[in-house]
Amino acid sequence: MWLRTSCNLTFNITVPTPFVLMLRPRSGAQQWIALEEYNITPSVPVFEFTDIYGNFCQRLIAPPGAFAISTAAEVMIADVVDQAPGAAFVEIKNLPNGVLGYLLPSRYCQSDRFSQMATTITAGKKLGYDQVTAITEWLRDTIHFTPNKSNIAVSAIEVNHRGWGVCRDLAHLGIALCRSLSIPARMVVGYFYGLKPMDLHAWFEVYVGGRWYSFDATQQQIRGGYVAIGYGRDAADVAVYNQFGPALYPISQEINVEQINYPDRIPRAAL
Amino acid sequence: MWLRTSCNLTFNITVPTPFVLMLRPRSGAQQWIALEEYNITPSVPVFEFTDIYGNFCQRLIAPPGAFAISTAAEVMIADVVDQAPGAAFVEIKNLPNGVLGYLLPSRYCQSDRFSQMATTITAGKKLGYDQVTAITEWLRDTIHFTPNKSNIAVSAIEVNHRGWGVCRDLAHLGIALCRSLSIPARMVVGYFYGLKPMDLHAWFEVYVGGRWYSFDATQQQIRGGYVAIGYGRDAADVAVYNQFGPALYPISQEINVEQINYPDRIPRAAL
Amino acid sequence: MWLRTSCNLTFNITVPTPFVLMLRPRSGAQQWIALEEYNITPSVPVFEFTDIYGNFCQRLIAPPGAFAISTAAEVMIADVVDQAPGAAFVEIKNLPNGVLGYLLPSRYCQSDRFSQMATTITAGKKLGYDQVTAITEWLRDTIHFTPNKSNIAVSAIEVNHRGWGVCRDLAHLGIALCRSLSIPARMVVGYFYGLKPMDLHAWFEVYVGGRWYSFDATQQQIRGGYVAIGYGRDAADVAVYNQFGPALYPISQEINVEQINYPDRIPRAAL
Amino acid sequence: MWLRTSCNLTFNITVPTPFVLMLRPRSGAQQWIALEEYNITPSVPVFEFTDIYGNFCQRLIAPPGAFAISTAAEVMIADVVDQAPGAAFVEIKNLPNGVLGYLLPSRYCQSDRFSQMATTITAGKKLGYDQVTAITEWLRDTIHFTPNKSNIAVSAIEVNHRGWGVCRDLAHLGIALCRSLSIPARMVVGYFYGLKPMDLHAWFEVYVGGRWYSFDATQQQIRGGYVAIGYGRDAADVAVYNQFGPALYPISQEINVEQINYPDRIPRAAL
């Protein structure tokens, strides 16, 4: 499946403001970026670096006035996300070094406090993928998904008490529950085709059966349509923009994901 | 100043138990490891790797029975920790890429919730080092240091509500306050000469004036005697041992730090 | 200055053939990638990773038959490359850790054999940038630039004996001479606007005065127009394609670099 | 098997001289460092970093006068090095990302020039481990091992022409031959118990059957007793000391490797 994604952000800047953006998706085993556009208006120097999780980040200083960030990508992804019911729990000793860190508690995923609860939710399930399926179903049944109620990030503990949340919140609680069972889990932020209302999206991945698998408690069942932008322990690591100084919100934010018929698109060279 | 440090841990293992240890200090600009010993009894295969923060970690599976970890080091450190009253706040745009991550909130340091409080505490102070001094003094005056009351890790929010804590707790609150002012701050775990009662210790470092400086709210004033073992965003990252499976506590834990007269020590070659 | 670059390679594959490509330029301090296209025909799974030098590399298995790689980018670069006559030699002790490796000899740059020659060429010059200028002028005057005579890579020693070479060869000899003076030097492969005949290009960078500066012995004087794709110790590290198995050459290779008027280009969204 | 290794180097320094040392062995799957000593006399600031191959490196400025580096380690290693006759060639597509770089030619291993020769030497052998065995036997039979004839590093091409070499030279030719067959190969520098005359040693490892295996053409057959200090593409990467400025040789260099009865050694704590 080919998707065209775009994210356009506009800010009204009053004082020179440092930004760290995370808006450049990477090609990987599960997605191929065939076209990518990234425009900053007005044009300012941008320094790109790779963070400790492997994400591409862009640093810049936004000057006073209207400031626009415009990104787009044409991406090939699998028609359906890989699933592996029954995939086994990976014993700690067999986890790759780089995966171990995803067992630790993090800002919004206090996995050190969910051990009892996760054990109850997954009672009777085979260790591994099936435990995560049980957790995801529990989230769907228990935590009311409220896509419009955007707000400040809250932690898994708060989400659990509150009983409702945006995609990010459900992912946080899912991650905390998985880690408490020694299943490595990480946050993914990106695009999701067909999301209503359209917005940036968050879901989570777990490491079972020797690789990462995607889970999304906001959907009735996992399907295709995910384009990952960033990976991290939780939302603290994968903000698509981190801005420093006085609080500042986009005056406009347009996200779009559409399916395209890639081979037929007009090559730019032909324009 | 030369110190000899040692850490001896003994566990009673009932089922084969995966451990990730962080017990090998690194030589760096601020400390030189002239001798190091690291023994595991019984001897089992150990795999060492470097984590995302640059710490040396050791993975192993502890077999059932008595299991002992014994480490020691002879370390040269500065007589007095560097201090730099007045050292300037580093603007975000000038921070090295690798330092940016220490601005983010983390498991035990919810810096996203301390902005107002940090501003109040540091009112009137020059931006940078002097703000951190004010925070440290505030911690000393406000949060009762209770070295004997060891317990599970709690977050900066909880420490602030509770009003008392161990070294780790004071560091967490200090870190959260600094980051809320856009001052990069990180946790350090290690040894501290003269600590009473002797134990592993935790303090924090902040990035101001172009480098990292140490702060320790548990002491009346910063002096020498610190040997760092690990660095991270908070205690979640720098556990000297992470053990997986059923909860397990050391049946003995002996920490020792003594000053030595290095040039006069008996060379092993002469034994 | 805005440039549109493209590289189209076609191979006739007889047996499934592993490729490692290096055809995705990175945004950096000196260039900003505003649009990028990367197409593989037929479509096959591609795995991207970052190599030890920070380059983005793409792994894939080309299936038998016609196999085409098509990349393009729209890039903002400085109108004129930075120059810094007189910029000082950086003492070894002040070099960043990551720069030290560019002092070592490498496959095609046997800097361990050029100490005497480099000293002679740079006699009387101020240590640093001006030495490299002298080396570049010496290369221009001494090694005949033969852009059409493409052939297998040869080393700095061979280039020096032979007295002629393609851009890569001149860069290799320049790098070897610089390193022999303890000036870190690295190879860059990329595009160069106005190159005749148009082709991929290679030049070199040296670390003096606290940063990297570009040099190009194939041109009468350094100007703008460079778009970097990859960095490494020498050509062994920065092949735009490494292919394994029986020798295989592209049946067509089209490189193009044109200046564009970026703000006026037709946004894709308007198509 | 437990070994105690030591390396003592003394220099007579005339002008302040930058050094990069690589004298701290790492614990890994194949060796465990139970004790390590590292002394610099006179004491100077040392900065340690990890290079792109994962080696621990120490930077310092040696002051004028007598300058001594003294290191020792007590290491547990396997009694016999792992061997795996018949272990399969790993197809390029299955090589880990980090292993790919060891297929490239390097300063002293011009693998791009040995394809024909390697094919001849390994004719009829099963792809993988057995090819490397054939190469190692060919080296033993063809290149005269001359441990006393120490000299400047020469390349695989030169070693092949010359017909004799030190351990480093045999390793370089072995590595070049392996890489020309698309078998990843790397240089190892370290200690070897029982080496006559005792000195630092060099051998090579190849990646077949899903892991690295050791080969040593200087010995009639591979056995135990190897302690690795550093890994790299070739000798350019793994110098135990790199010194910058006027040429400088140690006025004394003492290497020692002895077998020890570890559990019975006198614990330092008992002194």
Side-chain angles (χ1 to χ4, degrees), chain B:
Chain B
M1 187 197 314
W2 282 93
L3 297 177
R4 180 176 169 87
T5 65
S6 62
C7 174
N8 298 303
L9 302 172
T10 315
F11 295 88
N12 188 11
I13 307 288
T14 51
V15 295
T17 300
F19 275 83
V20 177
L21 306 173
M22 192 185 288
L23 276 166
R24 199 188 284 284
R26 295 189 64 153
S27 287
Q30 297 159 56
Q31 61 186 22
W32 173 249
I33 313 298
L35 178 142
E36 204 211 333
E37 297 181 82
Y38 204 135
N39 288 286
I40 306 285
T41 311
S43 180
V44 294
V46 185
F47 300 80
E48 188 159 288
F49 68 99
T50 305
D51 74 9
I52 53 174
Y53 302 104
N55 301 305
F56 300 153
C57 302
Q58 301 83 37
R59 302 175 63 168
L60 58 83
I61 310 293
F67 183 71
I69 301 159
S70 167
T71 67
E74 295 180 6
V75 188
M76 182 179 62
I77 53 168
D79 285 351
V80 181
V81 164
D82 287 350
Q83 297 167 65
F89 173 78
V90 179
E91 286 191 61
I92 305 294
K93 67 177 174 185
N94 296 327
L95 288 173
N97 293 331
V99 170
L100 284 174
Y102 293 104
L103 289 171
L104 301 175
S106 59
R107 168 65 184 95
Y108 297 111
C109 305
Q110 306 104 324
S111 46
D112 47 310
R113 305 287 170 90
F114 283 93
S115 181
Q116 182 60 53
M117 185 170 148
T119 303
T120 303
I121 291 171
T122 62
K125 300 298 177 187
K126 187 186 168 197
L127 299 191
Y129 194 96
D130 295 354
Q131 289 176 304
V132 187
T133 299
I135 286 169
T136 305
E137 284 168 1
W138 178 89
L139 286 168
R140 259 176 223 138
D141 293 346
T142 316
I143 308 296
H144 186 54
F145 175 44
T146 56
N148 285 314
K149 262 189 150 166
S150 186
N151 44 30
I152 64 159
V154 296
S155 74
I157 289 174
E158 293 165 297
V159 174
N160 187 42
H161 286 166
R162 194 170 74 179
W164 58 267
V166 297
C167 54
R168 178 191 60 212
D169 300 323
L170 274 69
H172 282 155
L173 185 47
I175 291 167
L177 289 163
C178 291
R179 287 186 196 156
S180 77
L181 299 169
S182 293
I183 296 174
R186 65 183 181 187
M187 183 91 170
V188 195
V189 68
Y191 302 96
F192 180 44
Y193 176 57
L195 184 65
K196 287 179 185 160
M198 180 48 66
D199 201 348
L200 288 166
H201 192 52
W203 61 98
F204 67 106
E205 291 186 354
V206 301
Y207 195 91
V208 291
R211 50 159 286 193
W212 292 100
Y213 287 96
S214 295
F215 285 83
D216 184 349
T218 72
Q219 302 299 308
Q220 280 314 304
Q221 71 182 74
I222 194 88
R223 51 177 177 91
Y226 294 87
V227 175
I229 299 175
Y231 297 89
R233 289 203 208 163
D234 64 26
D237 295 327
V238 291
V240 295
Y241 64 91
N242 261 313
Q243 151 267 330
F244 301 90
L248 183 68
Y249 299 94
I251 53 176
S252 80
Q253 172 170 332
E254 297 167 16
I255 314 295
N256 196 49
V257 182
E258 57 182 321
Q259 194 165 357
I260 56 174
N261 193 357
Y262 196 70
D264 293 350
R265 77 180 177 84
I266 302 167
R268 281 195 53 79
L271 292 178

Side-chain angles (χ1 to χ4, degrees), chain A residues 200-221:
Chain A
L200 289 166
H201 192 52
W203 61 98
F204 68 106
E205 291 186 354
V206 300
Y207 195 90
V208 291
R211 51 160 284 194
W212 292 99
Y213 287 96
S214 295
F215 285 83
D216 184 350
T218 73
Q219 303 298 308
Q220 281 314 303
Q221 71 182 75

Side-chain angles (χ1 to χ4, degrees), chain A residues 81-84 128-137 140 171 178 188 201-208 212-218 222 226:
Chain A
V81 164
D82 287 350
Q83 296 166 64
Y129 195 97
D130 296 353
Q131 290 177 303
V132 186
T133 299
I135 287 169
T136 306
E137 284 169 0
R140 259 176 222 138
C178 290
V188 195
H201 192 52
W203 61 98
F204 68 106
E205 291 186 354
V206 300
Y207 195 90
V208 291
W212 292 99
Y213 287 96
S214 295
F215 285 83
D216 184 350
T218 73
I222 194 90
Y226 294 87

Side-chain angles (χ1 to χ4, degrees), chain D residues 1 30 77-83 211 214 221-226:
Chain D
M1 187 195 318
Q30 297 159 55
I77 54 168
D79 285 351
V80 181
V81 164
D82 286 349
Q83 297 168 64
R211 50 159 285 193
S214 295
Q221 72 182 74
I222 194 88
R223 52 178 177 89
Y226 292 88

Side-chain angles (χ1 to χ4, degrees), chain D residues 12-252:
Chain D
N12 188 11
I13 307 288
T14 51
V15 295
T17 300
F19 274 83
V20 178
L21 306 174
M22 192 184 289
L23 276 165
R24 200 187 283 284
R26 294 189 65 154
S27 287
Q30 297 159 55
Q31 62 186 21
W32 173 249
I33 313 298
L35 178 143
E36 204 212 332
E37 297 180 82
Y38 203 135
N39 288 287
I40 306 287
T41 311
S43 181
V44 293
V46 184
F47 300 80
E48 187 158 288
F49 69 100
T50 305
D51 73 10
I52 53 174
Y53 302 104
N55 302 305
F56 299 154
C57 303
Q58 300 83 37
R59 302 175 63 169
L60 58 82
I61 311 293
F67 184 70
I69 301 158
S70 166
T71 67
E74 294 180 6
V75 188
M76 182 180 62
I77 54 168
D79 285 351
V80 181
V81 164
D82 286 349
Q83 297 168 64
F89 173 78
V90 179
E91 286 192 60
I92 304 294
K93 68 176 174 185
N94 295 327
L95 288 174
N97 292 332
V99 171
L100 284 173
Y102 294 105
L103 289 170
L104 301 175
S106 59
R107 168 65 185 94
Y108 298 111
C109 305
Q110 305 105 325
S111 46
D112 47 309
R113 305 287 170 89
F114 283 93
S115 182
Q116 182 61 52
M117 185 169 148
T119 304
T120 303
I121 291 171
T122 62
K125 300 298 176 188
K126 188 187 167 196
L127 299 191
Y129 194 97
D130 296 353
Q131 290 177 302
V132 186
T133 300
I135 286 168
T136 305
E137 285 169 359
W138 178 88
L139 285 168
R140 258 176 223 138
D141 294 345
T142 316
I143 308 296
H144 186 53
F145 174 45
T146 56
N148 285 314
K149 263 188 149 167
S150 186
N151 42 30
I152 64 159
V154 295
S155 74
I157 289 175
E158 293 165 296
V159 174
N160 187 42
H161 286 166
R162 194 170 75 179
W164 58 267
V166 297
C167 54
R168 178 190 61 212
D169 300 323
L170 274 70
H172 281 154
L173 185 48
I175 290 167
L177 289 163
C178 291
R179 288 187 194 155
S180 76
L181 299 169
S182 292
I183 297 175
R186 65 183 181 187
M187 183 91 170
V188 195
V189 67
Y191 301 96
F192 180 43
Y193 176 57
L195 184 65
K196 286 179 185 160
M198 179 48 65
D199 201 349
L200 288 166
H201 192 52
W203 61 100
F204 67 106
E205 291 186 355
V206 301
Y207 194 90
V208 292
R211 50 159 285 193
W212 293 100
Y213 287 96
S214 295
F215 285 84
D216 185 350
T218 73
Q219 302 299 307
Q220 280 314 302
Q221 72 182 74
I222 194 88
R223 52 178 177 89
Y226 292 88
V227 174
I229 299 176
Y231 296 88
R233 289 204 208 163
D234 63 27
D237 295 327
V238 291
V240 295
Y241 63 91
N242 261 315
Q243 152 267 329
F244 300 90
L248 182 69
Y249 298 95
I251 53 175
S252 80

Side-chain angles (χ1 to χ4, degrees), chain C residues 8-234:
Chain C
N8 297 303
L9 302 172
T10 315
F11 296 88
N12 189 10
I13 307 289
T14 51
V15 296
T17 301
F19 274 83
V20 177
L21 306 173
M22 192 186 289
L23 276 165
R24 201 188 282 283
R26 294 191 65 153
S27 287
Q30 297 160 55
Q31 62 186 21
W32 173 249
I33 312 297
L35 178 141
E36 204 213 334
E37 297 180 83
Y38 203 134
N39 287 287
I40 306 287
T41 312
S43 181
V44 294
V46 184
F47 300 81
E48 188 159 288
F49 68 99
T50 304
D51 74 9
I52 51 174
Y53 302 105
N55 302 303
F56 299 153
C57 302
Q58 301 83 38
R59 301 176 64 169
L60 57 83
I61 310 294
F67 184 71
I69 301 159
S70 167
T71 67
E74 294 179 8
V75 188
M76 183 179 64
I77 54 167
D79 286 350
V80 181
V81 164
D82 287 349
Q83 297 166 64
F89 173 78
V90 180
E91 286 190 61
I92 304 295
K93 68 176 173 184
N94 295 327
L95 289 173
N97 293 332
V99 170
L100 284 175
Y102 294 104
L103 289 171
L104 301 175
S106 59
R107 169 64 184 94
Y108 297 112
C109 306
Q110 305 104 326
S111 46
D112 47 311
R113 305 288 169 91
F114 283 93
S115 181
Q116 182 60 52
M117 185 170 147
T119 304
T120 304
I121 292 171
T122 62
K125 302 296 177 187
K126 186 186 167 197
L127 299 192
Y129 194 96
D130 296 354
Q131 290 177 304
V132 186
T133 299
I135 287 169
T136 306
E137 285 169 359
W138 178 89
L139 286 168
R140 258 177 224 138
D141 294 345
T142 317
I143 307 296
H144 186 54
F145 175 44
T146 56
N148 285 313
K149 264 188 149 166
S150 186
N151 43 30
I152 63 159
V154 296
S155 74
I157 290 175
E158 293 165 297
V159 173
N160 187 43
H161 286 165
R162 193 170 75 177
W164 58 267
V166 296
C167 54
R168 179 190 60 214
D169 300 322
L170 274 69
H172 281 154
L173 184 47
I175 291 166
L177 289 163
C178 291
R179 287 187 196 155
S180 76
L181 299 169
S182 292
I183 297 175
R186 66 183 181 186
M187 183 92 170
V188 195
V189 68
Y191 301 97
F192 180 43
Y193 176 57
L195 183 65
K196 287 179 185 160
M198 180 48 66
D199 201 348
L200 289 166
H201 192 52
W203 61 98
F204 68 105
E205 291 186 355
V206 300
Y207 195 91
V208 291
R211 50 160 285 195
W212 292 100
Y213 287 95
S214 295
F215 285 84
D216 184 349
T218 73
Q219 303 298 308
Q220 280 313 305
Q221 70 182 75
I222 194 89
R223 51 177 177 90
Y226 293 87
V227 175
I229 299 175
Y231 296 88
R233 289 204 208 163
D234 63 27

